[in-house]
Amino acid sequence: MTSTLHPVEPATAGFLDLAAHGTAAAVVTPDGTVSYADLAALVTRAGDRLGGTRRLVLVEGRNDLPTLTAYLAAISRGHVVLLTPPGEPARALEARWDPDLVVGEEWREVRPGTAHDLHPDLALLMSTSGSTGAPKLVRLSRGNLAANAASIADYLRLGPGERAITSLPMHYCYGLSVVHSHLAAGATLVLTGLSVVDDCFWDLATRAEVTSMAAVPYTFELLERSGRARLGLADLRYVTQAGGRMAPERLARWRERGRDEGWDLVVMYGQTEATARMAWLPPALAADHPDAVGVPIPGGELRLEPVPEPTEPGVGELVYRGDNVMMGYATDATDLARGAELTELRTGDLARRVDGVFEIVGRRGRQVKVFGLRIDLDHLEDRVPGAHCVVVDDTLHAFTTRAREADRLREQLRRASGLPPSAVQVCVVADLPQTPSGKPDRMALQRHARARRAAVAASVRDEYAVVLGRPDATERDSFVSLGGDSLSYVELATRLSERLGRLPTGWPSMPIAELEGGRRRSGSWLETGIVLRAAAILAIVGSHTDLWNVMGGAHLLLVAAGFGLARFQLSAETRRDRVRLGAASLLMLWLPAAAWLGAVGLVTGGYRPATVLLLNGLLGSDTWTDQWQLWFLEALVWTVAGLLALTAVPAFDRVERRAPFATALVVVLAAMALRFAWVGVTAGPTERYTIGVVAWWVLLGWLAARADSLGRRLLVVGLAAAGTVGFFGDPVREALVVGGVAALVLLPSVPVPRLLVRPVSVLASASLFVYLTHWQVYPPLEERSGLLALVVSLAVGVAAWWLSRPVLRRLRVLVVGPRPGRKPGSAPSRANSAVATAG
């Protein structure tokens, strides 16, 4: 379907008339200031790229200048924007709504025209979620956007002198309202994706002379947790708060701090269905009405509708009327052709009016707001039988007496509610507390949830802080988001296993809160990858000291290394972070190796410069010499470097994100083809250690990490067998390698006697240092005793690892830098995106 572009009427698009503000500052970024005239020029160029056909444009809402420019261009040229969180949510919405053009880190045109019938008034689609969590979109017109922007600018008295920092993501309706209202008023946006717990956020706010910021209840929680009791911004005029009810004591505390520092706390109330705002509480009324949401915004009306269920006197459902009320919902693509269907909005909130000021007293039908999503707990319990739900601290807590069903209930609740995994916890109790009438005692369940959460929160978070050297870790962070790598993975996994028992599959990508709330799994378990690393290094050193002849450990370690790379560094949200974290991991691998090899080379002359630089395979001899001893590191480093180079290519990264297993499979098959073309079935004495011949094992680990079904895992094992059988000319060695790959892929974790948990984890953690140092340790001792040579080699390697840990931790923080997604211009951090689905 094609259609000409509908011109945008000045009356509805005027709030985006950027050029009218001339040389005034429109946007401040860490890289400089962009004037309104310059921003208008950028928007014009972006608009030209969109073409002359009115289309559905999906925009991944990052807080950066390219995203802002693309969004403004699409709105001003009359296109319909589907504004989404970046990453997986965007891909899910793309699959459901089939946009004509996708604007992410790069632009991707799905089709030249449009496949949709788009109503002329429709401008913006934003996600929301009702009581069932079913995905649906709010349809907003240009008139809705203009009316809400003008109203906010009116009651906040916005003008050219105002500077608001983007403390919330723009794909969240509250964050987007800050963008609209300030650009409509000729004010300035200080554009950043940094979290409020990042010192760089406050450095930027100070330099940019910020006068306002927006916050949700969780923002204040983060500020208090990070120790920032004072905001310390000399130019700050006010802080707005919306996105859910804040605890009265916290509200009072921050109002007092604002008075001390000279800024006002402005409480606001809204929903995505009202384009963001419906009411606000003037600071002058806050002392007499501390729990109120305030009065209607300019141009809006609020009234109370009687409700059939018993309530307190004077309480009714809050109903809003105004030009910012949405056109309606969209549940499928055919709804995009529908016009405006509403003139007022039934909010679902129960409220009363006191002295002309509205106070929210509850929700109809046990409806609550979690992470900005409206959840009907009664409806949720109907959909997930056996779960008894309460909400505490922006987390859904479900109680059950059936321990075996806890994991299933948790997944069902997550899907039914639409909440992120970190916001859903399941607790197994012996008996459910009941009221005298025999109904579930919700208050008792809330007290239980608070007590349980407080008991485990600090301990698990402390483990992350210590092992990764990140005292700023919060419960919304994960091992991946904190920049963890294979050197820290083993130690942290072991510590967590000792606290929590068997760790769930995929724990490195799970927020800390999700692990805190998980059910403790009995027994002593370690991830299979950890056990394999310990077993492989023991096999390598024991074989070299002639205690036994168990070969193949190093090749198996290549697979384990590729597996870890895919789970950690290549699981970061953006291409930039994938490459950055991968490069940091390589540096952390090479630096200890280079230091040791260089020292040995200088003292003994045992290693040449080419070996120190891991270039022996390219510049060394074709026959075995001592320079080949580090072939494993050489193969690993250069294979990973090549994979990161591929990831840095935008086109490859897009394909890999859309089809991760298929992409990895193609690369593995290409590498296996190279392996067979190079040596045939059986490799020669040094060929079996050559990068081009063994790289496929590293890539096979990447493929294994992307295998998300039993069939795909079995395919990985089959490929391991196809490439390994006959390679060494030693069936036992080949069977050990294939068996190790099968264990890694098919067994996420294995039981380990409690007494062996710590020794196995220490050996696995120190495996790199044992491998590096044992070449110099065991030869003088081998003739006296193979067992002595083995024990001393392991002891020296473990000691080297232990002594280097403090340095490596500091180095990791320096090398990794800010958390993924928290650099200027990158995707918002979890602290920002946690509220990113609905208003």
Side-chain angles (χ1 to χ4, degrees), residues 252-422:
R253 192 160 58 242
W254 281 97
R255 279 195 177 116
E256 182 64 29
R257 290 170 180 170
R259 282 194 293 272
D260 291 343
E261 293 191 68
W263 51 266
D264 289 321
L265 179 60
V266 182
V267 173
M268 305 190 301
Y269 166 75
Q271 295 178 359
T272 309
E273 290 86 341
T275 324
R277 301 276 72 81
M278 292 182 283
W280 75 296
L281 183 64
L285 301 178
D288 295 330
H289 303 277
D291 297 329
V293 295
V295 299
I297 62 173
E301 301 175 10
L302 285 170
R303 63 180 175 85
L304 297 176
E305 181 78 13
V307 290
E309 58 263 34
T311 61
E312 303 174 35
V315 171
E317 182 179 6
L318 196 59
V319 179
Y320 176 80
R321 177 183 291 268
D323 290 339
N324 53 315
V325 172
M326 66 175 177
M327 299 173 68
Y329 291 113
T331 57
D332 58 49
T334 61
D335 291 333
L336 305 185
R338 301 167 69 93
E341 298 166 324
L342 299 174
T343 58
E344 61 182 24
L345 178 65
R346 305 182 71 88
T347 66
D349 287 321
L350 297 177
R352 61 173 168 243
R353 186 174 183 176
V354 181
D355 298 329
V357 178
F358 290 89
E359 297 178 359
I360 305 296
V361 298
R363 291 283 295 177
R364 297 190 63 178
R366 289 184 67 219
Q367 291 188 9
V368 294
K369 211 169 190 181
V370 185
F371 279 82
L373 301 180
R374 288 192 304 279
I375 308 296
D376 187 321
L377 296 181
D378 287 333
H379 198 143
L380 189 62
E381 289 176 356
D382 288 341
R383 294 194 64 195
V384 187
H388 299 268
C389 302
V390 296
V391 169
V392 172
D393 295 335
D394 222 16
T395 299
L396 176 68
H397 296 264
F399 291 83
T400 181
T401 58
R402 295 175 288 186
R404 292 183 179 180
E405 297 188 14
D407 291 338
R408 178 187 62 80
L409 287 176
R410 191 158 175 270
E411 179 60 19
Q412 288 182 339
L413 288 166
R414 186 189 69 78
R415 292 181 181 276
S417 66
L419 291 170
S422 62

Side-chain angles (χ1 to χ4, degrees), residues 202-278:
W202 300 101
D203 292 341
L204 175 62
T206 300
R207 292 197 311 271
E209 300 177 342
V210 161
T211 62
S212 69
M213 64 175 281
V216 296
Y218 185 60
T219 308
F220 294 99
E221 182 182 341
L222 284 177
L223 290 172
E224 291 181 350
R225 255 196 238 160
S226 63
R228 188 172 289 275
R230 296 175 58 84
L231 301 187
L233 299 177
D235 299 285
L236 192 65
R237 187 165 71 86
Y238 63 85
V239 175
T240 60
Q241 183 266 312
R245 180 178 181 272
M246 191 152 79
E249 61 276 8
R250 178 170 283 153
L251 199 59
R253 192 160 58 242
W254 281 97
R255 279 195 177 116
E256 182 64 29
R257 290 170 180 170
R259 282 194 293 272
D260 291 343
E261 293 191 68
W263 51 266
D264 289 321
L265 179 60
V266 182
V267 173
M268 305 190 301
Y269 166 75
Q271 295 178 359
T272 309
E273 290 86 341
T275 324
R277 301 276 72 81
M278 292 182 283

Side-chain angles (χ1 to χ4, degrees), residues 25 47 58 70 132 138 145 183 197 236 248 264 292 317 407 424 469 477 499 519 537 544 652 785 805 812 826:
L58 186 149
T132 65
V138 169
L145 303 182
L183 293 182
V197 299
L236 192 65
D264 289 321
E317 182 179 6
D407 291 338
V424 180
D477 290 312
R499 285 191 179 275
R519 177 170 54 89
I537 195 64
H544 290 171
F652 178 86
S785 168
R805 288 167 74 229
R812 182 181 299 110
S826 67

Side-chain angles (χ1 to χ4, degrees), residues 366 378 381 388 431-445:
R366 289 184 67 219
D378 287 333
E381 289 176 356
H388 299 268
D431 297 293
L432 287 168
Q434 294 182 335
T435 63
S437 62
K439 295 181 180 180
D441 189 338
R442 311 288 182 187
M443 297 298 293
L445 292 179

Side-chain angles (χ1 to χ4, degrees), residues 488-505:
S488 54
Y489 154 71
V490 175
E491 182 178 0
L492 182 58
T494 303
R495 286 173 175 250
L496 294 177
S497 295
E498 290 175 343
R499 285 191 179 275
L500 304 174
R502 185 179 182 182
L503 295 178
T505 302

Side-chain angles (χ1 to χ4, degrees), residues 16-39:
L16 292 176
D17 188 6
L18 304 174
H21 301 293
T23 59
V27 178
V28 174
T29 74
D31 300 323
T33 300
V34 180
S35 71
Y36 271 93
D38 291 339
L39 181 59

